[in-house]
Amino acid sequence: MDGYEYYGRGRTRNDGSEYQPIFYQTSRFSVINKGCFWLSETPEEAGSKGWDAACKRHTVWMILHDRRTNQDVLVLNTHWDHKGTEARNQSGILTRKYISEMTKASPFMPIILAGDFNLFPNAEGLKHLEMTGIHQELIRSPSQDFGVEMIGSEPITFTGWNREHKMVLDYIFYKNVRCLQYGALDDACASGRLLSDHKPLFTRLLLEKKQPTEGQEIPNSSESTMSNVSMDPNDEDLELELALQMSMMKPNE
């Protein structure tokens, strides 16, 4: 896509394997740091498989500097195992640990965590994420209390290739940002063919603009979330759009 670059690594040692890339708009974001950790007992070992998982799984992450709001944003994209109960539970604990470590020096840093978690909304593994203060707007009732506009015909993210399933397994979590819209979109082509066995998720988030401190230099790297700026009735510079489309895999993997 013109104006965008991405970062990602394969979940095995071979980068040609499945991975969850993060796309970012280069005119808005600069890369501060980036990396991967594997969902295993040895998370820094590329291609490692953990606990009772059926497949090798990992998380891609980036810390991006948003030039428009003058702040750093932590973005993570992940895919948890579809079989291993202990693997999913431990993945929640491990993810919380990594997020806590990466934001230790900046406790108010905006955090966005997206992915196919292969877990129902109230599962134990997701409860570990709630301990970081990340919210699950999709599984709440259409939230007038939180001012979130729910989009899409129904809050279903996994349908299978023949739409024989109706499950919520995919989420976009966030912290230290305000959610304006959230929902699952239809992914059928004009021919009726599905792009994936999972529906794409979409959210609009509002960031708080910060002023640079005296002497602060704003990074301007040629490198640089799955983001696209759209019109906001109050301040278009603060708004962030994110979309999550899971890759084509065997159903429910």
Side-chain angles (χ1 to χ4, degrees):
M1 295 187 295
D2 291 342
Y4 288 81
E5 292 187 7
Y6 70 90
Y7 169 69
R9 286 189 61 182
R11 69 182 184 184
T12 66
R13 295 180 187 274
N14 177 8
D15 277 355
S17 60
E18 181 210 274
Y19 63 104
Q20 303 83 238
I22 297 174
F23 286 79
Y24 54 91
Q25 192 176 41
T26 55
S27 62
R28 179 169 180 177
F29 295 98
S30 300
V31 176
I32 302 298
N33 204 352
K34 61 187 179 182
C36 299
F37 60 88
W38 273 257
L39 304 176
S40 74
E41 297 93 330
T42 53
E44 298 300 319
E45 180 185 341
S48 57
K49 185 169 72 170
W51 304 288
D52 58 348
C55 302
K56 299 172 181 178
R57 305 289 188 179
H58 75 323
T59 297
V60 175
W61 61 269
M62 300 186 78
I63 297 178
L64 300 169
H65 183 80
D66 181 5
R67 299 186 186 97
R68 295 188 179 181
T69 62
N70 187 35
Q71 63 185 312
D72 297 341
V73 182
L74 172 60
V75 184
L76 308 96
N77 197 2
T78 192
H79 190 178
W80 291 9
D81 200 65
H82 65 302
K83 296 249 180 174
T85 301
E86 181 64 14
R88 291 191 294 266
N89 186 50
Q90 292 295 332
S91 294
I93 296 172
L94 184 66
T95 301
R96 183 187 70 213
K97 176 182 176 182
Y98 267 84
I99 289 175
S100 297
E101 186 63 30
M102 286 190 281
T103 59
K104 182 167 57 177
S106 304
F108 299 106
M109 180 188 294
I111 303 168
I112 300 161
L113 168 63
D116 174 3
F117 294 84
N118 276 309
L119 284 174
F120 295 124
N122 296 315
E124 189 66 28
L126 297 183
K127 293 178 182 178
H128 296 298
L129 299 179
E130 294 177 346
M131 295 178 67
T132 67
I134 296 174
H135 304 298
Q136 305 176 46
E137 292 298 348
L138 183 62
I139 66 172
R140 295 175 176 169
S141 56
S143 5
Q144 299 300 324
D145 291 345
F146 297 93
V148 177
E149 177 188 355
M150 305 303 290
I151 57 178
S153 58
E154 55 184 355
I156 301 299
T157 71
F158 175 72
T159 62
W161 291 105
N162 298 314
R163 291 192 164 167
E164 68 272 27
H165 301 291
K166 289 190 174 184
M167 303 178 185
V168 178
L169 301 176
D170 311 82
Y171 309 92
I172 299 175
F173 301 111
Y174 56 88
K175 181 182 179 181
N176 297 329
V177 297
R178 187 175 134 208
C179 184
L180 302 178
Q181 284 185 320
Y182 195 120
L185 307 178
D186 184 51
D187 67 343
C189 300
S191 63
R193 180 181 178 183
L194 300 182
L195 298 176
S196 173
D197 53 340
H198 292 253
K199 287 186 175 183
L201 294 182
F202 174 85
T203 188
R204 290 170 64 219
L205 304 173
L206 198 63
L207 302 177
E208 178 185 359
K209 182 177 286 187
K210 294 185 177 180
Q211 298 300 321
T213 58
E214 185 176 353
Q216 178 185 7
E217 293 185 5
I218 299 178
N220 189 23
S221 169
S222 60
E223 284 188 306
S224 231
T225 164
M226 305 172 288
S227 76
N228 192 13
V229 182
S230 69
M231 297 300 294
D232 172 58
N234 298 313
D235 189 339
E236 64 181 17
D237 286 346
L238 307 187
E239 194 167 320
L240 196 62
E241 289 187 1
L242 291 102
L244 170 68
Q245 173 66 62
M246 299 313 300
S247 58
M248 293 188 184
M249 293 291 293
K250 295 178 182 178
N252 207 20
E253 287 189 6

